[in-house]
Amino acid sequence: MHEDLRRFKKYSLARDWRSRPGGPKAPCGAVAACRTLPSGACCWLASALRGPRVPPFAVARRCLHASGSRRPADKSERTGDPPRAFDLALLEFLVCPLSKMPLRYEASTNELINEELGIAYPIIDGIPNMLPQAARMTHQNKKKKWSSTRS
Amino acid sequence: MATHRSCALWSCCGRRWSRVMRCCRLPGFRSSWPRGPLGARHLSQEKQATETHFGFETVSDKEKGGKVYHVFESVAKKYDVMNDMMSLGIHRIWKDLLLWKMHPFPGTQLLDVAGGTGDIAFRFLNYVRAQHKRKQKKQLRAQQNVSWEEIAKKYHNEEDPLGGSRVVVCDINKEMLKIGKQKARAQGHKAGLAWVLGDAEELPFDDDKFDVYSIAFGIRNVTHIDQALQEAHRVLKPGGRFLCLEFSQVNNPLISRLYDLYSFQVIPVLGEVIAGDWKSYQYLVESIRQFPSQEEFKEMIEDAGFEKVTYESLTSGIVAIHSGFKL
C-alpha cells in the first residue's frame, strides 16, 4: 500500500488530480480527510468511494494508463492531424443529404463539396458534419447568383 | 384530445402518401421523380399538424429537434453510466440480444443510426471479428496435410480481421459522437469504423448501400418517425434488414405498475444525483410512454415499405426488437 502511494507521487498523479476543475466528486465528509492525506491516497479514496467493486491496484493501473495516454493525446492536439484525418473510404457512402449527389473532398479547406448546389459541409475532428444547417455556400455559388441577378 | 386526433389524421395521411410513393418507385420513374425539398416532404408539409410531443409536453415540430439535442448534449458524458444505473446493467443484455438477432457475418455493412456512444457498433465489430476467426479455424481444420509453415503464413497474412465488414455510426449530436470516438480509441477499435454527423430524417447516404440498418434507443427521439423509416428503407440494399431496439409497452399489469413507479420516482432522482440533470431524465422517461406500442410501430414499419416485419418483446415488454426486410 505505501509503495503504491510512493508510485503515485512519482508519476505526479497528484498534479493531474488537483488541477481537474471542480475536484473529485467525493462525499463532504471525505473532503476534509482528503486535505490532510497525501494526494495519492486521496485519489485512491475517491475512486474507492465511487466504485467499491474496483480494486485499488486496478485503479492505480488505470490512473497510470490515463496519465500516460494523456501526454501523446496532447501532443497530437498540438500537431493537429493524424487522429482527426478524414477517412476517404467514407466517400463511397456519403452523399449530400439534400440532393443525394456525390461529394468531393477538398483537402485545403477540409470540407466536402457538392458542386451542383454549391455548398460545402465541414469536417470537424475527422467527423463530417452532414447537417444541411451546417453547410456553407461556396464562392462559385455566390458568383453564379451574383451574375444571374445582374443579368 | 384534439392533438391526438390530428396526430392520428396526420399519420394516416403520411401512410397513404408513403404507399403512393412506394408504387411510383419504378426504375424508369426514379430519375424524373423530384427529390429533396421538392419531393414528398414538401407536399406532406402542407398538411402538417406542426405539433408533436416532447415527453408529456406539446411542442411544435421545429422546437422538438432542438430540445432533444439539448437533452443529449447534457447527458452525453454520463450516458453510459446512467444506462447502467437505470437499467441495472440489463441494457447490455438487450444490446447483445440485438446483435445475436442480427447475426452479422464478415462482409456485412452496418449503418447504426442514433448510435452516438457506439455500443452497437463495438459489439458488431467484436462479433464479426470472432466470426472471422472461427471461419478461419474451420478452414484450416478442413484442409488436410497442411504444413506448419502454411498455417503460420495464413495467420500472418491477416489483412482484414473483419473480413470486409464496416460500420458507419450516424448521430445528430456532436457530443455523443465525441464520447463514442473516445471510447473507440480506449477500446482499441480502429479499422472498419466511421463516424458521421447526420439527421436520421435526411440521411447523407446513397440508396442501396447498407446490409443492415440498426437504431437502438434512438427512434423515439426522432421528430418524424415515418420519415426516418422511409430513409431507412432507402439506404438499405434489397434484402437488407431493418432492426430497431426500443422501449415499448409492458404487457403484464403488475410489472407495468412497478415499472411506472421505478420510472417516475427513481430514474429522475438518479439523474439528478449522478448526472445533475433531472429534466433530461424526466424527458427520457416520458418519451418512453409516448412511443407507440409494438403493434402500432410494426404497422408504421410496414407502411415505410418493409416486409416480413416481426417484433420480439424482451423483459415482458419493457423493450422490443422490431425487424423488417427490404425485399
Side-chain angles (χ1 to χ4, degrees), chain B residues 120-161:
Chain B
I120 303 288
F122 303 147
R123 282 175 168 79
F124 171 82
L125 290 172
N126 292 336
Y127 196 102
V128 160
R129 210 168 278 144
Q131 288 275 79
H132 192 68
K133 273 193 187 156
R134 219 176 293 159
K135 197 173 157 193
Q136 272 195 320
K137 275 190 188 162
K138 267 189 192 167
Q139 274 177 347
L140 279 176
R141 254 182 252 156
Q143 290 171 1
Q144 292 173 357
N145 301 324
V146 185
S147 68
W148 283 113
E149 286 172 351
E150 285 176 39
I151 295 174
K153 255 193 203 172
K154 273 218 163 175
Y155 277 109
H156 279 296
N157 291 345
E158 189 54 83
E159 285 169 358
D160 187 3

Short mmCIF file of all heavy atoms in Angstrom, two decimals, chain B residues 120-161:
data_model
loop_
_atom_site.label_atom_id
_atom_site.label_comp_id
_atom_site.label_asym_id
_atom_site.label_seq_id
_atom_site.Cartn_x
_atom_site.Cartn_y
_atom_site.Cartn_z
N ILE B 120 -23.59 -0.37 -30.02
CA ILE B 120 -23.94 -1.39 -31.01
C ILE B 120 -22.77 -1.59 -31.97
O ILE B 120 -22.43 -2.72 -32.34
CB ILE B 120 -25.20 -0.99 -31.79
CG1 ILE B 120 -26.36 -0.76 -30.85
CG2 ILE B 120 -25.56 -2.01 -32.85
CD1 ILE B 120 -26.93 -2.00 -30.23
N ALA B 121 -22.13 -0.49 -32.36
CA ALA B 121 -21.02 -0.58 -33.33
C ALA B 121 -19.88 -1.44 -32.78
O ALA B 121 -19.35 -2.31 -33.49
CB ALA B 121 -20.52 0.81 -33.66
N PHE B 122 -19.53 -1.24 -31.50
CA PHE B 122 -18.41 -2.01 -30.94
C PHE B 122 -18.78 -3.49 -30.82
O PHE B 122 -17.97 -4.37 -31.08
CB PHE B 122 -17.99 -1.46 -29.57
CG PHE B 122 -17.60 -0.02 -29.60
CD1 PHE B 122 -17.83 0.79 -28.50
CD2 PHE B 122 -17.00 0.54 -30.71
CE1 PHE B 122 -17.48 2.13 -28.51
CE2 PHE B 122 -16.65 1.88 -30.74
CZ PHE B 122 -16.89 2.67 -29.64
N ARG B 123 -20.04 -3.74 -30.41
CA ARG B 123 -20.47 -5.13 -30.32
C ARG B 123 -20.42 -5.80 -31.68
O ARG B 123 -20.05 -6.96 -31.81
CB ARG B 123 -21.88 -5.20 -29.74
CG ARG B 123 -21.92 -5.03 -28.25
CD ARG B 123 -23.35 -4.99 -27.74
NE ARG B 123 -23.40 -5.09 -26.31
CZ ARG B 123 -23.17 -4.12 -25.46
NH1 ARG B 123 -22.88 -2.93 -25.91
NH2 ARG B 123 -23.24 -4.30 -24.15
N PHE B 124 -20.83 -5.04 -32.70
CA PHE B 124 -20.83 -5.56 -34.07
C PHE B 124 -19.42 -5.93 -34.48
O PHE B 124 -19.17 -7.01 -35.02
CB PHE B 124 -21.40 -4.49 -35.01
CG PHE B 124 -21.25 -4.79 -36.48
CD1 PHE B 124 -22.15 -5.62 -37.12
CD2 PHE B 124 -20.23 -4.23 -37.23
CE1 PHE B 124 -22.03 -5.89 -38.49
CE2 PHE B 124 -20.10 -4.49 -38.59
CZ PHE B 124 -21.00 -5.33 -39.22
N LEU B 125 -18.46 -5.03 -34.20
CA LEU B 125 -17.08 -5.29 -34.61
C LEU B 125 -16.53 -6.53 -33.89
O LEU B 125 -15.87 -7.37 -34.52
CB LEU B 125 -16.21 -4.07 -34.32
CG LEU B 125 -16.47 -2.85 -35.20
CD1 LEU B 125 -15.69 -1.65 -34.70
CD2 LEU B 125 -16.12 -3.12 -36.64
N ASN B 126 -16.82 -6.64 -32.60
CA ASN B 126 -16.33 -7.81 -31.86
C ASN B 126 -16.93 -9.09 -32.39
O ASN B 126 -16.26 -10.11 -32.55
CB ASN B 126 -16.65 -7.66 -30.37
CG ASN B 126 -15.86 -6.55 -29.73
OD1 ASN B 126 -14.79 -6.18 -30.21
ND2 ASN B 126 -16.40 -6.00 -28.66
N TYR B 127 -18.23 -9.04 -32.69
CA TYR B 127 -18.96 -10.21 -33.18
C TYR B 127 -18.36 -10.68 -34.51
O TYR B 127 -18.07 -11.86 -34.70
CB TYR B 127 -20.43 -9.84 -33.36
CG TYR B 127 -21.39 -11.00 -33.50
CD1 TYR B 127 -22.17 -11.39 -32.42
CD2 TYR B 127 -21.55 -11.67 -34.70
CE1 TYR B 127 -23.07 -12.43 -32.53
CE2 TYR B 127 -22.44 -12.72 -34.82
CZ TYR B 127 -23.20 -13.09 -33.75
OH TYR B 127 -24.10 -14.12 -33.86
N VAL B 128 -18.18 -9.72 -35.41
CA VAL B 128 -17.68 -10.05 -36.74
C VAL B 128 -16.25 -10.57 -36.68
O VAL B 128 -15.89 -11.52 -37.39
CB VAL B 128 -17.81 -8.81 -37.65
CG1 VAL B 128 -16.91 -8.91 -38.84
CG2 VAL B 128 -19.22 -8.62 -38.10
N ARG B 129 -15.47 -9.98 -35.78
CA ARG B 129 -14.08 -10.43 -35.64
C ARG B 129 -14.05 -11.88 -35.16
O ARG B 129 -13.28 -12.71 -35.67
CB ARG B 129 -13.36 -9.54 -34.63
CG ARG B 129 -11.88 -9.41 -34.91
CD ARG B 129 -11.27 -8.32 -34.09
NE ARG B 129 -11.45 -7.01 -34.64
CZ ARG B 129 -11.65 -5.90 -33.94
NH1 ARG B 129 -11.70 -5.94 -32.64
NH2 ARG B 129 -11.79 -4.74 -34.54
N ALA B 130 -14.92 -12.17 -34.17
CA ALA B 130 -14.96 -13.54 -33.64
C ALA B 130 -15.42 -14.52 -34.72
O ALA B 130 -14.89 -15.63 -34.84
CB ALA B 130 -15.91 -13.59 -32.45
N GLN B 131 -16.41 -14.08 -35.52
CA GLN B 131 -16.91 -14.93 -36.61
C GLN B 131 -15.81 -15.22 -37.61
O GLN B 131 -15.67 -16.34 -38.11
CB GLN B 131 -18.05 -14.20 -37.36
CG GLN B 131 -19.34 -14.10 -36.61
CD GLN B 131 -20.18 -15.33 -36.77
OE1 GLN B 131 -19.92 -16.33 -36.12
NE2 GLN B 131 -21.15 -15.28 -37.64
N HIS B 132 -15.05 -14.20 -37.93
CA HIS B 132 -13.97 -14.33 -38.92
C HIS B 132 -12.93 -15.32 -38.44
O HIS B 132 -12.47 -16.17 -39.20
CB HIS B 132 -13.35 -12.96 -39.17
CG HIS B 132 -12.46 -12.91 -40.36
ND1 HIS B 132 -12.93 -13.05 -41.66
CD2 HIS B 132 -11.13 -12.74 -40.47
CE1 HIS B 132 -11.92 -12.95 -42.50
NE2 HIS B 132 -10.81 -12.78 -41.82
N LYS B 133 -12.59 -15.23 -37.15
CA LYS B 133 -11.60 -16.15 -36.57
C LYS B 133 -12.10 -17.58 -36.62
O LYS B 133 -11.37 -18.51 -36.98
CB LYS B 133 -11.32 -15.77 -35.12
CG LYS B 133 -10.26 -14.75 -34.96
CD LYS B 133 -9.80 -14.63 -33.51
CE LYS B 133 -8.86 -13.45 -33.42
NZ LYS B 133 -8.80 -12.90 -32.07
N ARG B 134 -13.40 -17.72 -36.28
CA ARG B 134 -13.98 -19.06 -36.27
C ARG B 134 -13.96 -19.65 -37.67
O ARG B 134 -13.64 -20.82 -37.87
CB ARG B 134 -15.43 -18.97 -35.78
CG ARG B 134 -15.83 -20.11 -34.87
CD ARG B 134 -17.22 -19.90 -34.35
NE ARG B 134 -17.31 -18.77 -33.46
CZ ARG B 134 -18.41 -18.12 -33.17
NH1 ARG B 134 -19.55 -18.48 -33.72
NH2 ARG B 134 -18.42 -17.10 -32.34
N LYS B 135 -14.26 -18.81 -38.65
CA LYS B 135 -14.28 -19.26 -40.05
C LYS B 135 -12.89 -19.70 -40.47
O LYS B 135 -12.72 -20.74 -41.11
CB LYS B 135 -14.73 -18.07 -40.92
CG LYS B 135 -15.19 -18.40 -42.30
CD LYS B 135 -15.76 -17.13 -42.94
CE LYS B 135 -15.72 -17.22 -44.44
NZ LYS B 135 -15.98 -15.91 -45.07
N GLN B 136 -11.89 -18.92 -40.08
CA GLN B 136 -10.51 -19.27 -40.45
C GLN B 136 -10.09 -20.59 -39.85
O GLN B 136 -9.47 -21.43 -40.51
CB GLN B 136 -9.56 -18.19 -39.94
CG GLN B 136 -9.38 -17.06 -40.88
CD GLN B 136 -8.17 -16.24 -40.50
OE1 GLN B 136 -7.94 -16.00 -39.31
NE2 GLN B 136 -7.43 -15.80 -41.46
N LYS B 137 -10.46 -20.77 -38.58
CA LYS B 137 -10.09 -22.02 -37.89
C LYS B 137 -10.73 -23.21 -38.60
O LYS B 137 -10.09 -24.26 -38.79
CB LYS B 137 -10.56 -21.98 -36.45
CG LYS B 137 -9.60 -21.30 -35.53
CD LYS B 137 -10.00 -21.51 -34.07
CE LYS B 137 -9.12 -20.66 -33.20
NZ LYS B 137 -9.69 -20.47 -31.87
N LYS B 138 -12.00 -23.02 -38.98
CA LYS B 138 -12.70 -24.11 -39.66
C LYS B 138 -12.02 -24.46 -40.98
O LYS B 138 -11.85 -25.62 -41.34
CB LYS B 138 -14.15 -23.69 -39.97
CG LYS B 138 -15.13 -24.09 -38.93
CD LYS B 138 -16.56 -23.83 -39.42
CE LYS B 138 -17.51 -23.94 -38.27
NZ LYS B 138 -18.83 -23.40 -38.58
N GLN B 139 -11.63 -23.40 -41.69
CA GLN B 139 -10.96 -23.62 -42.99
C GLN B 139 -9.67 -24.39 -42.81
O GLN B 139 -9.36 -25.30 -43.57
CB GLN B 139 -10.65 -22.26 -43.65
CG GLN B 139 -11.77 -21.71 -44.44
CD GLN B 139 -11.45 -20.34 -45.00
OE1 GLN B 139 -10.47 -19.69 -44.62
NE2 GLN B 139 -12.27 -19.89 -45.91
N LEU B 140 -8.93 -24.00 -41.76
CA LEU B 140 -7.65 -24.67 -41.52
C LEU B 140 -7.86 -26.13 -41.15
O LEU B 140 -7.14 -27.01 -41.59
CB LEU B 140 -6.89 -23.96 -40.40
CG LEU B 140 -6.12 -22.73 -40.81
CD1 LEU B 140 -5.50 -22.08 -39.61
CD2 LEU B 140 -5.07 -23.05 -41.83
N ARG B 141 -8.89 -26.35 -40.34
CA ARG B 141 -9.16 -27.73 -39.92
C ARG B 141 -9.58 -28.59 -41.09
O ARG B 141 -9.27 -29.77 -41.19
CB ARG B 141 -10.26 -27.73 -38.86
CG ARG B 141 -9.73 -27.99 -37.46
CD ARG B 141 -10.84 -28.03 -36.45
NE ARG B 141 -10.82 -26.86 -35.62
CZ ARG B 141 -11.85 -26.37 -34.97
NH1 ARG B 141 -13.04 -26.91 -35.10
NH2 ARG B 141 -11.74 -25.31 -34.21
N ALA B 142 -10.33 -27.96 -42.03
CA ALA B 142 -10.83 -28.72 -43.18
C ALA B 142 -9.70 -29.13 -44.13
O ALA B 142 -9.78 -30.16 -44.80
CB ALA B 142 -11.86 -27.89 -43.93
N GLN B 143 -8.68 -28.29 -44.18
CA GLN B 143 -7.57 -28.63 -45.08
C GLN B 143 -6.70 -29.68 -44.42
O GLN B 143 -6.22 -29.52 -43.32
CB GLN B 143 -6.70 -27.39 -45.35
CG GLN B 143 -7.39 -26.37 -46.19
CD GLN B 143 -6.59 -25.10 -46.24
OE1 GLN B 143 -5.52 -25.02 -45.66
NE2 GLN B 143 -7.09 -24.11 -46.93
N GLN B 144 -6.47 -30.76 -45.12
CA GLN B 144 -5.66 -31.84 -44.55
C GLN B 144 -4.24 -31.77 -45.08
O GLN B 144 -3.98 -31.26 -46.14
CB GLN B 144 -6.29 -33.18 -44.89
CG GLN B 144 -7.60 -33.36 -44.19
CD GLN B 144 -8.30 -34.61 -44.65
OE1 GLN B 144 -7.84 -35.31 -45.54
NE2 GLN B 144 -9.44 -34.90 -44.04
N ASN B 145 -3.34 -32.31 -44.31
CA ASN B 145 -1.92 -32.39 -44.73
C ASN B 145 -1.34 -31.02 -45.03
O ASN B 145 -0.67 -30.83 -46.02
CB ASN B 145 -1.75 -33.29 -45.97
CG ASN B 145 -2.25 -34.68 -45.71
OD1 ASN B 145 -2.10 -35.21 -44.62
ND2 ASN B 145 -2.86 -35.27 -46.71
N VAL B 146 -1.66 -30.09 -44.15
CA VAL B 146 -1.10 -28.75 -44.34
C VAL B 146 0.13 -28.63 -43.46
O VAL B 146 0.10 -29.00 -42.29
CB VAL B 146 -2.13 -27.67 -43.93
CG1 VAL B 146 -1.60 -26.30 -44.23
CG2 VAL B 146 -3.43 -27.91 -44.64
N SER B 147 1.19 -28.08 -44.00
CA SER B 147 2.43 -27.96 -43.21
C SER B 147 2.32 -26.80 -42.23
O SER B 147 1.52 -25.89 -42.41
CB SER B 147 3.61 -27.72 -44.14
OG SER B 147 3.47 -26.44 -44.72
N TRP B 148 3.14 -26.82 -41.20
CA TRP B 148 3.14 -25.76 -40.19
C TRP B 148 3.45 -24.40 -40.80
O TRP B 148 2.93 -23.38 -40.39
CB TRP B 148 4.17 -26.06 -39.09
CG TRP B 148 3.71 -27.09 -38.14
CD1 TRP B 148 4.22 -28.34 -37.95
CD2 TRP B 148 2.60 -26.97 -37.23
NE1 TRP B 148 3.52 -29.02 -36.99
CE2 TRP B 148 2.52 -28.22 -36.52
CE3 TRP B 148 1.67 -25.97 -36.92
CZ2 TRP B 148 1.56 -28.45 -35.55
CZ3 TRP B 148 0.72 -26.22 -35.96
CH2 TRP B 148 0.67 -27.44 -35.28
N GLU B 149 4.32 -24.44 -41.84
CA GLU B 149 4.68 -23.16 -42.47
C GLU B 149 3.46 -22.51 -43.10
O GLU B 149 3.26 -21.32 -43.00
CB GLU B 149 5.73 -23.40 -43.56
CG GLU B 149 7.09 -23.70 -43.00
CD GLU B 149 8.06 -24.13 -44.11
OE1 GLU B 149 7.61 -24.34 -45.25
OE2 GLU B 149 9.24 -24.25 -43.81
N GLU B 150 2.67 -23.34 -43.78
CA GLU B 150 1.48 -22.76 -44.44
C GLU B 150 0.48 -22.23 -43.43
O GLU B 150 -0.14 -21.19 -43.63
CB GLU B 150 0.82 -23.82 -45.33
CG GLU B 150 1.61 -24.06 -46.60
CD GLU B 150 1.01 -25.17 -47.44
OE1 GLU B 150 -0.23 -25.25 -47.50
OE2 GLU B 150 1.77 -25.96 -48.00
N ILE B 151 0.35 -22.94 -42.31
CA ILE B 151 -0.58 -22.48 -41.28
C ILE B 151 -0.10 -21.14 -40.72
O ILE B 151 -0.87 -20.19 -40.56
CB ILE B 151 -0.70 -23.51 -40.13
CG1 ILE B 151 -1.33 -24.80 -40.64
CG2 ILE B 151 -1.53 -22.94 -38.99
CD1 ILE B 151 -1.36 -25.91 -39.63
N ALA B 152 1.21 -21.06 -40.44
CA ALA B 152 1.77 -19.80 -39.92
C ALA B 152 1.56 -18.67 -40.92
O ALA B 152 1.20 -17.56 -40.55
CB ALA B 152 3.25 -19.99 -39.61
N LYS B 153 1.75 -19.00 -42.21
CA LYS B 153 1.55 -17.97 -43.24
C LYS B 153 0.13 -17.43 -43.22
O LYS B 153 -0.10 -16.24 -43.31
CB LYS B 153 1.79 -18.59 -44.63
CG LYS B 153 3.09 -18.22 -45.28
CD LYS B 153 3.05 -18.64 -46.73
CE LYS B 153 4.46 -18.80 -47.25
NZ LYS B 153 4.48 -19.40 -48.58
N LYS B 154 -0.83 -18.31 -43.08
CA LYS B 154 -2.25 -17.89 -43.09
C LYS B 154 -2.55 -16.92 -41.95
O LYS B 154 -3.24 -15.94 -42.11
CB LYS B 154 -3.16 -19.13 -42.92
CG LYS B 154 -3.48 -19.80 -44.22
CD LYS B 154 -4.91 -20.30 -44.27
CE LYS B 154 -5.28 -20.58 -45.71
NZ LYS B 154 -6.58 -21.17 -45.85
N TYR B 155 -1.98 -17.22 -40.79
CA TYR B 155 -2.22 -16.33 -39.66
C TYR B 155 -1.49 -15.01 -39.83
O TYR B 155 -1.95 -13.98 -39.39
CB TYR B 155 -1.81 -17.00 -38.34
CG TYR B 155 -2.89 -17.89 -37.81
CD1 TYR B 155 -2.74 -19.28 -37.82
CD2 TYR B 155 -4.08 -17.37 -37.30
CE1 TYR B 155 -3.74 -20.10 -37.34
CE2 TYR B 155 -5.08 -18.19 -36.83
CZ TYR B 155 -4.90 -19.55 -36.85
OH TYR B 155 -5.88 -20.37 -36.39
N HIS B 156 -0.32 -15.04 -40.49
CA HIS B 156 0.43 -13.79 -40.68
C HIS B 156 -0.19 -12.90 -41.74
O HIS B 156 -0.12 -11.69 -41.64
CB HIS B 156 1.89 -14.10 -41.08
CG HIS B 156 2.73 -14.43 -39.90
ND1 HIS B 156 2.98 -13.53 -38.91
CD2 HIS B 156 3.36 -15.57 -39.55
CE1 HIS B 156 3.74 -14.10 -37.98
NE2 HIS B 156 3.98 -15.34 -38.34
N ASN B 157 -0.77 -13.52 -42.78
CA ASN B 157 -1.35 -12.70 -43.85
C ASN B 157 -2.72 -12.16 -43.48
O ASN B 157 -3.60 -12.06 -44.31
CB ASN B 157 -1.49 -13.52 -45.15
CG ASN B 157 -0.13 -13.83 -45.73
OD1 ASN B 157 0.86 -13.22 -45.35
ND2 ASN B 157 -0.10 -14.77 -46.65
N GLU B 158 -2.91 -11.85 -42.22
CA GLU B 158 -4.20 -11.34 -41.77
C GLU B 158 -4.34 -9.89 -42.18
O GLU B 158 -3.89 -8.99 -41.49
CB GLU B 158 -4.27 -11.48 -40.24
CG GLU B 158 -5.63 -11.19 -39.66
CD GLU B 158 -6.73 -12.01 -40.29
OE1 GLU B 158 -6.90 -13.15 -39.86
OE2 GLU B 158 -7.40 -11.52 -41.20
N GLU B 159 -4.92 -9.67 -43.35
CA GLU B 159 -5.03 -8.29 -43.82
C GLU B 159 -6.22 -7.59 -43.17
O GLU B 159 -6.12 -6.49 -42.69
CB GLU B 159 -5.20 -8.27 -45.34
CG GLU B 159 -3.90 -8.55 -46.04
CD GLU B 159 -4.12 -8.80 -47.53
OE1 GLU B 159 -5.28 -8.79 -47.97
OE2 GLU B 159 -3.13 -9.01 -48.22
N ASP B 160 -7.34 -8.27 -43.19
CA ASP B 160 -8.53 -7.62 -42.65
C ASP B 160 -9.19 -8.55 -41.64
O ASP B 160 -9.88 -9.49 -42.04
CB ASP B 160 -9.51 -7.29 -43.79
CG ASP B 160 -10.68 -6.47 -43.29
OD1 ASP B 160 -10.70 -6.13 -42.10
OD2 ASP B 160 -11.57 -6.18 -44.10
N PRO B 161 -8.98 -8.30 -40.36
CA PRO B 161 -9.58 -9.20 -39.36
C PRO B 161 -11.09 -9.13 -39.34
O PRO B 161 -11.73 -9.93 -38.68
CB PRO B 161 -9.00 -8.69 -38.04
CG PRO B 161 -8.59 -7.30 -38.29
CD PRO B 161 -8.21 -7.22 -39.73
#
